Amino acid sequence: MSAPATALMWEARATEGRGAELLEWARARAAELPRPPLRGELLRAPQDRVLVITWWDGAYGDELPELPELPEPDASLITRPVHRWRFESLGPVAPGR
């Protein structure tokens, strides 16, 4: 069994026509985190939504040190406040099971 990890999810929706700008903004902010995550992914979806997932050492209920998170973009770039979630990582999904 691997060491416990916590996944942080950050999701935002860009204002009309600014999806590419929000994607690049999120990519740049993820590159500026004060320390590197165990793993990180940048995803996009219809309606100019951008999702960043980072994995960090420590179990969900642990008193984790402050985990670096992406900030809120400028209000003119997004349609609503950023959504943030924290999840306990249970490991990879095995294909065919």
Side-chain angles (χ1 to χ4, degrees), residues 74-97:
D74 186 88
S76 67
L77 185 57
I78 54 176
T79 61
R80 56 167 167 70
V82 168
H83 293 172
R84 300 170 194 271
W85 301 275
R86 181 181 281 205
F87 291 90
E88 177 183 12
S89 178
L90 302 176
V93 175
R97 294 185 186 182

Side-chain angles (χ1 to χ4, degrees), residues 6-10 29-39 52-57 64-71 84-86:
T6 297
L8 299 181
M9 295 179 62
W10 178 101
R29 298 300 83 71
E32 295 171 352
L33 289 172
R35 65 182 189 275
L38 297 172
R39 178 178 163 206
V52 178
I53 307 172
T54 54
W55 284 262
W56 304 91
D57 278 323
L64 300 172
E66 283 191 34
L67 296 177
E69 290 199 59
L70 272 64
R84 300 170 194 271
W85 301 275
R86 181 181 281 205

Side-chain angles (χ1 to χ4, degrees), residues 9-10 12 23 26 40-45 49-53 55:
M9 295 179 62
W10 178 101
L23 184 64
E41 287 193 42
L42 179 64
L43 302 100
R44 66 178 172 188
R49 289 177 291 147
V50 173
L51 174 66
V52 178
I53 307 172
W55 284 262

